[in-house]
Amino acid sequence: MPATEIYLIRHGQTDYNRQFRLQGRSDIPLNRLGLAQARAAHEALRGVHFDAVYASPLRRAVDTACIVSGWPEEKIELDPRLIEIGFGIWEGSDFRTLGPAGTAFFETPQNYTPPQGGESLDSVLRRTGGFLDALQQLPEDRHVLVASHGAALNALYLQIKGLPLSLFWTHRFGNCSIVRLGLSGGRLSVLEECPEPVAPA
């Protein structure tokens, strides 16, 4: 068994998720279902004692981390490398109305060009790659929770699996879905994937 386990979790649902709107850096809170999803994830991981909890600084990720881990906010380490991709002038838009430029983000990510004020996928890969390097330096025999966002988590997943940018969305993180990683000998591997959101109790 790997010496350290890391649990990647996407934040619970927000109203923007429900409305198919791009959130990006907009600080949208969890809605009622999102809070229930986080509580259900807490129950699913009740037997895990976390030694460290990291979260994106956005409210939806912080609140998910607090609920799932049972830790107070002041104990959680907020890391800006885990923040969601910025969508610039597209933030708040229904992605289904953006035409081919918006479609490329999900269907042909290797061809995605960010809108004005937005962040490129290459940039997301670089900053999440820095966080990934830090994870690989963790000491042994730890259990770690990482709460973040769809694009940021897929960037981590892509690099762990060694996949090309064209397969950026190979794994879809549903709200409060979990991917369990193992860290052994300084190398990360995917142990378990739970692609569907944890059903609320």
Side-chain angles (χ1 to χ4, degrees), residues 86-108:
F87 286 111
I89 60 173
W90 282 0
E91 297 210 358
S93 300
D94 183 331
F95 68 80
R96 299 170 297 182
T97 68
L98 295 173
T103 300
F105 180 68
F106 293 107
E107 296 187 1
T108 55

Side-chain angles (χ1 to χ4, degrees), residues 61-196:
V62 176
D63 287 347
T64 298
C66 289
I67 294 169
V68 173
S69 66
W71 285 27
E73 183 174 340
E74 58 268 21
K75 286 187 62 179
I76 293 171
E77 185 167 340
L78 305 186
D79 195 312
R81 294 174 294 185
L82 294 171
I83 202 167
E84 183 58 306
I85 187 172
F87 286 111
I89 60 173
W90 282 0
E91 297 210 358
S93 300
D94 183 331
F95 68 80
R96 299 170 297 182
T97 68
L98 295 173
T103 300
F105 180 68
F106 293 107
E107 296 187 1
T108 55
Q110 69 276 18
N111 298 326
Y112 173 66
T113 299
Q116 180 182 340
E119 183 182 17
S120 69
L121 288 172
D122 284 342
S123 171
V124 178
L125 287 166
R126 283 194 300 272
R127 62 175 167 82
T128 56
F131 181 78
L132 205 57
D133 289 343
L135 283 184
Q136 292 178 127
Q137 305 304 314
L138 287 172
E140 294 186 357
D141 196 24
R142 296 290 181 95
H143 291 86
V144 178
L145 181 69
V146 177
S148 187
H149 310 268
L153 289 169
N154 272 278
L156 290 172
Y157 184 91
L158 193 81
Q159 293 171 91
I160 293 165
K161 299 287 278 188
L163 299 173
L165 185 58
S166 60
L167 298 180
F168 190 85
W169 298 108
T170 293
H171 180 86
R172 294 292 181 113
F173 281 84
N175 292 119
C176 275
S177 64
I178 298 166
V179 168
R180 184 167 62 93
L181 307 176
L183 175 64
S184 183
R187 295 182 61 86
L188 285 165
S189 60
V190 175
L191 300 180
E192 183 180 16
E193 302 177 3
C194 182
E196 296 301 321

